């Protein structure tokens, strides 16, 4: 049966094409390590570095540039920690604890020629162990879901609540009032509308006298019968009387 570690796949976190390896002197005390104590101008080995992760453990692998053969590797279970340490006088150098298959370990120094490479190496390890921490918290919550305090939304003894339904305030909306009441236009001055000019011409064309004395007499009788009554002034009727008066003068001749 395969073990749990063999079932986990390996992911690549970071790859750097060139890294230098240095032998470092043994520590005389607990003081911080300084890269200036190393032989920086004469590295003991140069190759490629590949940072991988399998499960929660990260691995810093030093490999040959051409063949890819493994030179050394350092398993990292926490960062920062004893497996990878920074130096006190530079951000481009680190102390690495390497291990072989038999469990033997040794400390070596590694360094990058570019500060960007050292920054990427540092961030890759930080992001991995940040993810490990989040996974641990989620697993703890899944194993003990009832351990978290529950939110009590129930009413306490004697506690009441008041609801106001249908008592919203209505806003008074005033309608604009027009000065003309219902908005109709006022009547024209004078009280009456004058007839259009075309009506007068129509009356003249429709009322034409006919030849003969009988018709003239009838018209004269109408004038005499209406002479006693006072008729309102009408420009149209006056014009008609004048016209019939001319016909009367013609018939008397």
């Amino acid at each position: 049966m395969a073990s749990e570690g063999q079932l986990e796949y390996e992911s690549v976190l970071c790859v750097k094409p060139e890294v230098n390896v240095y032998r470092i002197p043994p520590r005389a005390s607990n003081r911080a390590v300084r890269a200036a104590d190393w032989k920086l101008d004469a590295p003991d080995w140069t190759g490629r570095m590949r940072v991988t992760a399998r499960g929660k453990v990260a691995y810093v692998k030093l490999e040959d540039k051409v063949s890819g053969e493994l030179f050394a590797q350092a398993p990292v279970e926490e960062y920062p920690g004893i497996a990878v340490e920074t130096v006190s006088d530079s951000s481009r150098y680190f102390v690495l604890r390497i291990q072989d298959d038999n469990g033997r370990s040794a400390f070596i120094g590694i360094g990058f020629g570019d500060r960007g490479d050292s920054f990427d190496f540092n961030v890759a390890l930080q992001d991995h162990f940040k993810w490990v921490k989040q996974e641990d918290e989620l697993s703890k919550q899944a194993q003990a879901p009832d351990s978290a305090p529950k939110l009590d939304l129930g009413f306490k003894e004697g506690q009441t609540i008041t609801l106001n339904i249908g008592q919203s305030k209505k806003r008074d909306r005033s309608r604009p009032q027009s000065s003309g009441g219902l908005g109709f236009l006022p009547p024209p001055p004078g009280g009456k509308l004058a007839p259009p000019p075309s009506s007068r011409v129509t009356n003249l064309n429709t009322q034409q006298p006919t030849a003969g004395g009988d018709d003239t007499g009838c018209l004269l009788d109408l004038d005499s019968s209406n002479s006693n009554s006072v008729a309102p002034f009408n420009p149209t009727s006056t014009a008609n009387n004048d016209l019939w008066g001319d016909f009367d003068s013609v018939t008397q001749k």
Side-chain angles (χ1 to χ4, degrees), residues 213-248:
D214 295 337
D215 297 335
T216 306
C218 293
L219 294 174
L220 293 177
D221 294 339
L222 291 173
D223 293 338
S224 61
S225 63
N226 295 331
S227 61
N228 295 328
S229 61
V230 179
F233 176 76
N234 192 346
T236 306
S237 62
T238 305
N240 292 334
N241 293 335
D242 295 339
L243 181 62
W244 293 118
D246 294 339
F247 279 100
D248 291 341

Side-chain angles (χ1 to χ4, degrees), residues 76-190:
V76 183
E77 296 180 355
E78 61 178 352
Y79 182 77
I82 193 174
V84 180
E85 300 179 59
T86 58
V87 297
S88 61
D89 56 347
S90 178
S91 62
R92 296 187 293 116
Y93 298 93
F94 301 85
V95 177
L96 198 66
R97 187 186 67 176
I98 59 176
Q99 288 183 352
D100 59 7
D101 296 336
N102 297 325
R104 295 178 301 178
S105 61
F107 290 93
I108 61 173
I110 62 172
F112 301 94
D114 188 2
R115 293 185 184 275
D117 293 340
S118 62
F119 175 80
D120 295 340
F121 171 68
N122 190 18
V123 170
L125 292 176
Q126 288 179 353
D127 291 344
H128 172 71
F129 286 101
K130 186 184 297 184
W131 169 82
V132 170
K133 183 179 180 181
Q134 293 176 355
E135 288 294 319
D136 292 339
E137 292 177 356
L138 292 176
S139 62
K140 290 180 181 178
Q141 293 178 2
Q143 293 176 0
D146 298 334
S147 61
K150 294 182 179 180
L151 181 62
D152 186 10
L153 299 178
F155 287 100
K156 304 297 186 295
E157 184 178 358
Q159 186 178 6
T160 59
I161 186 171
T162 303
L163 299 177
N164 295 327
I165 302 176
Q167 297 182 3
S168 60
K169 296 182 180 180
K170 298 181 179 180
R171 297 181 179 178
D172 296 331
R173 298 180 179 178
S174 59
R175 297 181 178 180
Q177 298 180 357
S178 59
S179 59
L182 297 177
F184 296 107
L185 294 176

Side-chain angles (χ1 to χ4, degrees), residues 57-71:
V57 181
Y59 295 88
V60 180
K61 297 183 178 182
L62 304 177
E63 302 171 344
D64 186 79
K65 290 183 178 180
V66 180
S67 64
E69 182 181 0
L70 182 64
F71 173 74

